[in-house]
Amino acid sequence: MALSHLAASASRSSSLLKPLSSALSLRRPISGDNSPLTVETSVPFTSHQCEAPSRSVETNPKELLTFFRDMALMRRMEIAADSLYKAKLIRGFCHLYDGQEAVAVGMEAAITKKDCIITAYRDHCTFVSRGGTLLEVFAELMGRQAGCSKGKGGSMHFYKKDSNFYGGHGIVGAQVPLGCGLAFAQKYSKDETVTFALYGDGAANQGQLFEALNISALWDLPAILVCENNHYGMGTAEWRAAKSPAYYKRGDYVPGLKVDGMDALAVKQACKFAKEHALKNGPIILEMDTYRYHGHSMSDPGSTYRTRDEISGVRQERDPIERIRKLILSHDLATEKELK
Amino acid sequence: MERDLRVCVMGEDVGHYGGSYKVTKGLAKKFGDLRVLDTPIAENSFTGMGIGAAMTGLRPVVEGMNMGFLLLAFNQISNNCGMLHYTSGGQFTIPIVIRGPGGVGRQLGAEHSQRLESYFQSIPGIQMVACSTPYNAKGLMKAAIRSENPVILFEHVLLYNLKERIPDEDYICNLEEAEMVRPGEHVTILTYSRMRYHVMQAAKTLVNKGYDPEVIDIRSLKPFDLYTIGNSVKKTHRVLIVEECMRTGGIGASLIAAITENFNDYLDAPIMCLSSQDVPTPYAGTLEEVTVVQPAQIVTAVEQLCQ
């Protein structure tokens, strides 16, 4: 009884670390636990030209708690960026990732820092999952020298060379050929590593994507094209922009997988599967079914082309952090209070 | 390619076919399909791929079968090739070489007779050079490949058949240096690429008429070698620019601005610039001839300038 009282008072203080370390003082072993756990993904995978991986994902308590912590950090970071933008401390363009955290976190769990990731302008959280610090993020957003690009890039140009994070790109779709070039270099150097080239449902209609996909398939490159489908290309819904919004099928001769992008474990499973596939058979497309709570950018309220009901509906039913929270609680890995 | 395993070549028909202008002949057989890559007709994406590969440290040489086709890759060249070094805060260098034949050929038609140097010159972060002889082609190519900066190397469709005795051994030409072709006293003629030959032809006539032109092949289109150019201006006090670029917004226009800004006090007369007409290149041979600068025009211009 006394112990839990101590734990409660400890968690009232500020740092995010406190809940976990105070949990250690209780008898249940948590943060250091690697004991295997199998969880079923929310929905089965849908595949195109390949066999879908199993719904059962191997994980462990430590990983689940790390997922929770990382996604919560990312969520708070994006909300803080929102406030800073409104206070005019961040200027220009600012595209926030809240809602999509599971993609960044799940992907990172399936790969190593030797694998490359390249994405578009909604890159704050991907940068963090590749090892970027909050200081580098906020300094860059506010145009300071301590930023990851020395303040010269801004929100859309985050890069981290030492962990193979190649940015950070403003022009829609242009990063996909770059990503295939990274995969080419990996094949050239015989690295046994892969490249994840991320793009959105809006970019999926760019010609250069299909050009790069053709070349990657021809040359057997270890390129994994990941469509983060948040269903809106700025203000245009996917059904108004794409004749065929089944983005995982648009590779035609290139296999594809549709994944619930709000389920970090499903993302992890899919990325693991994709990495194995790409190293053996060349390119594959992953479509992550995800959602962004904010508008396209800070200049977009995000409510003129979708209803507030839709947004709150997704938040209630599919929020990635809530899903992990429920998993942690149902497996008794931590208490409600610790997860605040 | 022998010296550095990171060098590879990408382009349409560069491999098995040997290159549409035979620039890469024999390389595929020697270095294999992974180092000499035949791409599909997809300039935007394979230029982007070359840039992505360069970000990791490879040194691709990307060929535009005709420079004009690279317009399709403009976004990649401008935003990614030129800017990534800056926007990443210096984390990445892009040691890529983008090259290909451009310029007006023999009745190739408007779309295959383009001069892109004027379109690319404003891109921050890239270097541009134009070769004109077998000697400087080899030297500039090697220097461009070895440079950590992205370099666009402009070749000319009509200059591939030139024959010249050049050293077998390894040598490079400085990317930022202009070439003194013919020293002189009366007038500085600045030129590059194929127009160098029209200028030298005109020079023969001019010498017969008693003039002593100084001919400089500027070679470095971005940045200009203002040291060599400046010394010449200080000596002759008269400048004629002869280029194949379009008149509006061309290399000549930028060069006039640079010389006026830096050496105005040394000029005895306004700078003259002979450029191609601001028109799409016609197909008919007689019309095509009139759209580019001919030796007779150069002679007249020098006579005018030296009055």
Side-chain angles (χ1 to χ4, degrees), chain B residues 3 9 34 69 86 89 117 124 127 132 139 149 153 201 220 229 248 253 261 305:
Chain B
R3 182 178 169 271
V9 180
L34 196 59
F69 306 161
Y86 185 87
E117 49 270 25
Q127 224 173 324
S132 49
N149 294 324
L153 172 56
Q201 210 179 323
S220 177
I229 294 172
T248 305
E261 245 169 38
L305 198 53

Side-chain angles (χ1 to χ4, degrees), chain A residues 290-303:
Chain A
T290 182
Y291 200 84
R292 52 165 163 83
Y293 297 141
H294 267 86
H296 164 72
S297 71
M298 288 303 298
S299 3
D300 169 29
S303 50

Side-chain angles (χ1 to χ4, degrees), chain A residues 47-249:
Chain A
S47 66
H48 167 77
Q49 304 267 26
C50 68
E51 261 202 49
S54 137
R55 262 179 97 170
S56 307
V57 187
E58 294 283 304
T59 181
N60 58 63
K62 179 175 181 184
E63 182 172 78
L64 289 177
L65 285 165
T66 310
F67 278 7
F68 181 83
R69 189 201 141 161
D70 288 348
M71 289 198 283
L73 186 97
M74 290 175 183
R75 179 68 58 92
R76 289 183 189 194
M77 173 180 84
E78 296 295 69
I79 307 273
D82 176 293
S83 309
L84 286 170
Y85 192 90
K86 288 178 176 144
K88 293 207 201 280
L89 287 165
I90 300 177
R91 314 303 301 267
F93 291 125
C94 189
H95 307 85
L96 300 176
Y97 201 69
D98 51 316
Q100 301 183 209
E101 299 90 350
V103 178
V105 155
M107 181 178 291
E108 197 59 46
I111 60 178
T112 71
K113 290 289 193 295
K114 289 220 166 85
D115 296 303
C116 301
I117 298 185
I118 189 170
T119 184
Y121 42 75
R122 208 175 294 280
D123 56 352
H124 306 168
C125 299
T126 318
F127 173 73
V128 168
S129 71
R130 287 257 96 180
T133 65
L134 288 178
L135 176 67
E136 287 173 316
V137 171
F138 286 112
E140 186 62 36
L141 289 175
M142 296 196 274
R144 303 294 204 267
Q145 273 180 12
C148 53
S149 297
K150 304 206 172 80
K152 296 180 179 182
S155 165
M156 300 188 285
H157 298 287
F158 283 19
Y159 307 87
K160 197 161 165 57
K161 183 171 183 183
D162 53 23
S163 41
N164 286 312
F165 177 54
Y166 286 82
H169 295 274
I171 303 298
V172 170
Q175 75 279 10
V176 177
L178 287 182
C180 295
L182 299 175
F184 170 71
Q186 287 171 323
K187 176 164 182 161
Y188 194 93
S189 321
K190 302 189 171 55
D191 268 353
E192 292 298 294
T193 50
V194 295
T195 298
F196 286 83
L198 281 69
Y199 59 97
D201 47 292
N205 300 313
Q206 275 266 315
Q208 53 188 323
L209 220 111
F210 296 95
E211 288 180 24
L213 200 58
N214 177 44
I215 301 182
S216 304
L218 266 176
W219 294 354
D220 259 318
L221 301 182
I224 299 161
L225 270 64
V226 181
C227 178
E228 288 185 285
N229 183 6
N230 58 24
H231 308 283
Y232 295 93
M234 202 160 95
T236 305
E238 63 181 328
W239 56 271
R240 293 181 66 228
K243 188 74 179 171
S244 162
Y247 300 106
Y248 69 107
K249 282 194 191 159

